[in-house]
Amino acid sequence: MTNWLPDLSSGSGPLYQRLADSIESDIDKGVIDAGAKLPPQRDLAYDIGTTVGTIGRAYQLLRERGLVSGEVGRGTYVLGQRTETPKSDVEPGLQGTRPIDAPSGKLRFDSTAAPDVGQGAVIADVLARTAQEHPHDISSYTRDFPERWYEAGSRWLARNAFRPSPDSIVPTLGTHAAVMAAIAALTMPGDYVVFEHLTYSQIARSAGLIGRRTALVSTDDDGIDPDDFERVCAQKHPKVMFLMPTAKNPTLVTLSAERRQAIARIAREYNVALIEDDLYGELTDDPTPLLAEYAPERTIVAGGLSKSVAAGVRGGWLSCPPAYRHRIRVAHKMMTGGLPFLLAEVGSRLVMSGQAGEIRKRCIAEIQARLAIVRSVLAGFDIKARDNVPFLWLTLPDPWLSGTFKNACLAQGVLIDDEDEFKAGRSEQVFHGVRFGVSQPRQSKDVAGGVAVIRRLLDEGRAGYDSFS
């Protein structure tokens, strides 16, 4: 940009801070447009009579505020402005309260929370009515759970022929807390918990923090290998196995009915409890019976609102066999400090009113539109995608390694997850894959821009990234 100088006549504090404040003000006012290149540090230092170091500190402060991005050899550029009210030309269904991109200005392809489809307004109304109708319950600890909380869980977890009774439900502070409560209740420190080599590894890490050990079971292109699961059971004597039979995170594999039957049989023979995470399954139209239908006496089904309604509500439920329910409810309270009335009531009302189901439909439509973009841009590459599910698994072509590709994307302003993020333990298996989600960028054009970066890096190969630049 030319013929621009900051106004440093007002404000207080060090010069670099006043300079950053002045630039931020001009960005907000539209004096400096999004995409504009800021003056080179040496030139601006000369123009205002200060040191290059002062300009560098001001530019760094702007980067920390998410206003600019700096690229070695190219300069410092202004990112898109942060607006509270979306412009009228934003695509329908994409309006939200504020951008969800990372503070650094990078595109968040490392999250699979429900996309912003305007559900904030619906939730705000439910919050207001809850506060008006239950002021005493909100001001105190939750001692008694109303029946509607159990009914909501029964309705939300129902899928295909699986129809859990309200008597089987444990309301929880999200799906992660639900699974951890089950592990804590059904195992003791030192016990083994079975995980696939690639899975939602936060559960394995959390289990390790409370003294549980990890046993890894092998998989193939069709999911868990039943023979290896039986080997692990015979050698390690695990108490619990955690698995995602439908649209597994991160590889999107769905277990066949035959494999679910085999796993149920082996678990029954070796007295292993099964935790079936159906968080992504509830987004799909997959007709395969839930694992709980094959082993109802030992299968705990977990689900919630985070991927299909709103992650910030922290709504979750478990469906448990009668012998487990009381223990798991107590364990959940001990591990989380208790279920907040406000969040549990909001989640319940969203489900019981049908609003959660409507939001889920809108989220699925938005996810589908974004998946179409990715499939088009990455046509010809080895990607696994599943309708309605907000992430993809990309098997990298030679010579890319998973961690290197993640770093290359990071250098280009796109946050994705490499395979190590999903390894439940130290594993010799190498998958050469990365996972990226499509639900968190604010608009479809941001998805297209981020995927274009991924495509360019794939096309360029080794020439696309230099870690020592």
Side-chain angles (χ1 to χ4, degrees), residues 41-62:
Q41 295 182 25
R42 189 174 301 278
D43 293 355
L44 186 55
Y46 177 82
D47 289 338
I48 65 175
T50 188
T51 65
V52 174
T54 297
I55 307 301
R57 293 184 68 181
Y59 282 15
Q60 176 60 33
L61 189 56
L62 291 168

Side-chain angles (χ1 to χ4, degrees), residues 164-434:
S165 165
D167 292 340
S168 73
I169 299 298
V170 176
T172 64
L173 191 59
T175 309
H176 181 105
V179 173
M180 286 308 303
I183 291 174
L186 303 182
T187 63
M188 297 289 289
D191 285 343
Y192 279 104
V193 179
V194 180
F195 296 94
E196 296 166 77
H197 285 259
L198 286 186
T199 186
Y200 174 57
S201 63
Q202 295 292 327
I203 295 296
R205 297 172 192 175
S206 299
L209 286 175
I210 60 172
R212 277 53 171 179
R213 293 188 287 176
T214 294
L216 298 177
V217 61
S218 294
T219 59
D220 56 26
D221 290 342
D222 297 317
I224 294 172
D225 180 351
D227 291 337
D228 197 57
F229 176 45
E230 186 161 18
R231 176 193 64 79
V232 170
C233 289
Q235 294 182 358
K236 303 287 188 180
H237 308 292
K239 297 293 181 64
V240 170
M241 178 162 74
F242 169 82
L243 69 167
M244 307 175 79
T246 306
K248 187 192 82 170
N249 185 14
T251 60
L252 291 156
V253 170
T254 292
L255 286 173
S256 66
E258 291 73 20
R259 292 216 175 182
R260 296 182 196 215
Q261 289 175 318
I263 288 168
R265 174 187 59 77
I266 296 165
R268 189 174 289 117
E269 180 179 349
Y270 288 92
N271 195 27
V272 177
L274 303 170
I275 300 177
E276 180 173 14
D277 185 338
D278 199 44
L279 196 55
Y280 294 105
E282 65 192 24
L283 284 167
T284 71
D285 297 322
D286 188 83
T288 312
L290 270 67
L291 188 60
E293 296 182 50
Y294 297 109
E297 83 287 353
R298 64 185 57 255
T299 304
I300 299 158
V301 178
L305 304 178
S306 63
K307 310 304 181 186
S308 50
V309 178
V313 174
R314 305 306 299 155
W317 298 270
L318 289 174
S319 172
C320 311
Y324 298 159
R325 185 188 180 206
H326 178 71
R327 278 187 286 165
I328 292 176
R329 178 173 172 176
V330 171
H332 180 268
K333 181 179 180 181
M334 296 298 101
M335 295 192 70
T336 64
L339 188 61
F341 180 90
L342 185 61
L343 294 181
E345 179 66 13
V346 168
S348 171
R349 289 189 178 205
L350 287 170
V351 172
M352 298 296 285
S353 66
Q355 291 169 302
E358 288 302 312
I359 293 171
R360 175 164 56 186
K361 290 178 183 178
R362 288 156 59 188
C363 286
I364 286 174
E366 183 61 37
I367 290 167
Q368 284 292 86
R370 296 180 177 205
L371 288 176
I373 294 172
V374 179
R375 285 169 167 148
S376 174
V377 175
L378 295 185
F381 288 94
D382 187 358
I383 57 171
K384 290 184 175 63
R386 177 76 185 257
D387 283 351
N388 308 346
V389 180
F391 64 88
L392 301 94
W393 177 254
L394 168 65
T395 299
L396 297 167
D398 186 68
W400 284 112
L401 304 176
S402 181
T404 308
F405 191 77
K406 173 184 176 179
N407 289 337
C409 289
L410 177 63
Q412 296 297 316
V414 179
L415 300 174
I416 65 171
D417 288 308
D418 62 5
E419 65 186 49
D420 284 350
E421 176 63 30
F422 301 97
K423 287 186 176 178
R426 298 184 66 174
S427 170
E428 295 180 356
Q429 292 193 19
V430 179
F431 301 88
H432 300 305
V434 294

Side-chain angles (χ1 to χ4, degrees), residues 452-467:
V453 170
I454 293 173
R455 172 67 191 240
R456 185 174 69 250
L457 289 170
L458 291 171
D459 287 338
E460 291 175 346
R462 282 195 177 95
Y465 174 61
D466 181 1
S467 60

